[in-house]
Amino acid sequence: MNNMDITSFTYSEATLSETASLDTSRSRAWIEISLDALRHNVRYLQSLLPTRCALMPVVKANAYGHGAGLIAGELNALGIRSFCVACVSEGVELRRRHIAGEILVLGYTHPDQFPLLDQYALTQTVVDHAHALALSAYACSASRHALRPNHSPLPVHIAVDTGMHRLGEPAEHAAQIREILSLPGLQVTGMYSHLAAAGGTDAASRNFTKNQIDIFYQLAAQLKNCPDEYVAPHVRLHLQASYGILRYPLPDVDCARPGIALYGLLSNAADTRACAGKLRPVLSLRARVAAIHQLSAGESAGYDMAYTAARPTTIATVTIGYADGLPRSLSEDGTAVLLHGRRAPIIGRICMDQLLVDVTAIPGIHPGQIATLIGQDGQESISAADLADACGTITNELLSCLGPRLERLAL
Ligand SMILES: *Cc1c(COP(=O)(O)O)cnc(C)c1O
């Protein structure tokens, strides 16, 4: 580094610390979280469930991109005491952020990671009978007893496969499930299944779902009728995710596992619209205008000359791209961002960190202005569900891909 470099380095550092005393959190691209909307959705979902049924919000994938610490912290403050995550590392992250209560790992955990279950007080899903044996062997091991001299059992929930064939001991294996309930070292505190087609409204989906529900309750009844001392009432039953809560009300559930609905959305735009007013979107996604360019007719902009101006055109560069989780496939299919409460169509290819929009029809655009990718601006709004539809996916995927570079701010 020569002297010039050192000088300019010092200069830029000074500039940064200057802005740090202001609000740097919204400097480039960020997510705003409406805690009001979250609280509303909690109340609404709770109102659809039996009084004794506890919400067990699903905060996997960084709470569907919303920020797991922020969301789970607020839910804790509302009195929610159970959460679902996909994997051990997500559970560890929540504990590091001082989230209290039960944290259920929904996915498979390798035996090498079992000690983390103890260390961070996580509840593991038993994904099948073989997994239960491995968990029990760990729970009874001498090395664990050295760490946990009080011999406290390892809390688990049993996953039951009622037709999805993803995880779970098959429901027809009642004998094996009874054995899991009595394995040494384990305390089974829940038993659950997952509905694979609750979002479908056609007859086949409805029949499939009703069949899954029947299979689950037949198994539960069978286990309750057997005199095994381990089949105690503390085994909580749950099987509804968002669509299950909305479409398949069940009188006999102890918990429910809403994900997408908690965030005020359903998986596609039509379903989300049908719930408008009942569920409120929690997330807004915003970025800034970085630069303005004037194009003459025939000039192209962005990568691959994918866009060419048909007439004199004013374009703006916006500070968000596909590395932030905005799908590149949104390029050139009529998707817009909001500026000054008006729609500015995305043009050309979405870049890794930036995108271009046509602002010819919107006067007075200048660098620093806020662009809305998802959310409300004046009278206009863009739903995450519309964006998901536009790129052929579901809101769950779109939101869970929103990256760590975006800051999350609670409003
Ligand atoms: C992801 C997941 C949920 C939440 O699903 P939504 O459709 O987002 O409500 C619930 N249960 C299990 C087992 C899951 O994997």
Side-chain angles (χ1 to χ4, degrees):
M1 223 188 249
N2 63 29
N3 280 342
M4 270 304 279
D5 286 332
I6 290 169
T7 315
S8 58
F9 178 70
T10 313
Y11 170 74
S12 62
E13 237 189 1
T15 318
L16 262 183
S17 59
E18 220 171 23
T19 47
S21 62
L22 304 169
D23 184 11
T24 56
S25 52
R26 305 183 187 195
S27 54
R28 178 184 166 265
W30 65 94
I31 283 168
E32 293 167 2
I33 297 297
S34 164
L35 295 177
D36 268 351
L38 181 68
R39 289 188 279 262
H40 169 88
N41 298 335
V42 165
R43 281 194 300 272
Y44 176 66
L45 292 171
Q46 195 79 67
S47 77
L48 300 178
L49 293 162
T51 328
R52 69 180 179 86
C53 177
L55 282 188
M56 211 176 178
V58 179
V59 292
K60 62 191 178 187
N62 202 18
Y64 293 44
H66 291 60
L70 183 60
I71 296 292
E74 177 62 20
L75 294 172
N76 253 180
L78 295 177
I80 286 173
R81 283 290 172 270
S82 289
F83 299 93
C84 300
V85 294
C87 54
V88 166
S89 60
E90 291 181 344
V92 170
E93 179 63 21
L94 288 186
R95 289 295 186 224
R96 286 190 177 143
R97 289 167 173 271
H98 309 292
I99 300 306
E102 176 188 40
I103 298 178
L104 173 65
V105 178
L106 295 171
Y108 171 78
T109 296
H110 187 275
D112 287 353
Q113 290 203 311
F114 289 166
L116 289 170
L117 299 172
D118 275 327
Q119 204 181 331
Y120 290 92
L122 307 177
T123 300
Q124 176 57 41
T125 290
V126 171
V127 308
D128 58 21
H129 185 259
H131 200 221
L133 294 180
L135 281 159
S136 171
Y138 162 75
C140 299
S141 65
S143 58
R144 178 174 189 252
H145 284 174
L147 294 171
R148 305 215 129 203
N150 62 355
H151 294 217
S152 60
L154 194 65
V156 296
H157 285 211
I158 302 176
V160 177
D161 180 11
T162 54
M164 187 175 188
H165 305 325
R166 184 174 71 171
L167 288 182
E169 183 64 15
E172 58 271 28
H173 292 179
Q176 283 90 330
I177 292 168
R178 198 172 298 136
E179 193 194 321
I180 296 170
L181 285 159
S182 59
L183 282 175
L186 303 184
Q187 183 178 21
V188 178
T189 55
M191 185 172 87
Y192 74 95
S193 191
H194 194 47
L195 303 175
T201 48
D202 54 303
S205 299
R206 295 193 62 79
N207 287 336
F208 188 88
T209 306
K210 284 179 187 154
N211 194 42
Q212 279 197 281
I213 294 169
D214 286 348
I215 290 171
F216 184 74
Y217 282 109
Q218 276 160 22
L219 172 72
Q222 226 177 319
L223 294 172
K224 269 184 188 143
N225 289 337
C226 83
D228 193 319
E229 59 174 305
Y230 293 97
V231 189
H234 61 246
V235 178
R236 288 168 298 146
L237 304 180
H238 48 110
L239 74 171
Q240 298 146 298
S242 297
Y243 279 93
I245 296 170
L246 294 170
R247 296 186 179 164
Y248 297 90
L250 299 169
D252 188 20
V253 279
D254 301 295
C255 318
R257 307 185 306 268
I260 193 68
L262 190 74
Y263 307 107
L265 298 155
L266 289 172
S267 291
N268 60 50
D271 292 346
T272 301
R273 264 194 296 278
C275 275
K278 295 174 184 157
L279 294 172
R280 296 189 193 155
V282 170
L283 174 146
S284 302
L285 177 61
R286 309 205 201 265
R288 287 194 191 277
V289 172
I292 315 287
H293 292 99
Q294 309 292 341
L295 303 183
S296 319
E299 271 193 293
S300 69
Y303 282 120
D304 304 333
M305 299 172 295
Y307 169 82
T308 302
R311 59 191 71 81
T313 302
T314 308
I315 63 169
T317 307
V318 176
T319 55
I320 190 167
Y322 62 76
D324 298 297
L326 211 63
R328 188 169 174 273
S329 62
L330 282 175
S331 305
E332 287 286 32
D333 60 9
T335 305
V337 314
L338 304 180
L339 278 167
H340 274 186
R342 297 178 58 185
R343 303 178 75 84
I346 296 176
I347 58 161
R349 303 248 191 276
I350 292 180
C351 310
M352 187 180 277
D353 322 300
Q354 295 157 91
L355 57 82
L356 301 173
V357 295
D358 183 342
V359 294
T360 313
I362 314 174
I365 298 301
H366 57 78
Q369 278 176 333
I370 293 175
T372 298
L373 288 297
I374 297 172
Q376 187 96 27
D377 177 6
Q379 300 301 306
E380 284 281 355
S381 72
I382 295 173
S383 163
D386 287 327
L387 281 191
D389 274 18
C391 51
T393 184
I394 58 173
T395 50
N396 313 46
E397 181 187 0
L398 181 86
L399 294 172
S400 65
C401 290
L402 294 176
R405 204 159 66 176
L406 301 166
E407 289 183 75
R408 273 85 178 159
L409 307 163
L411 294 187

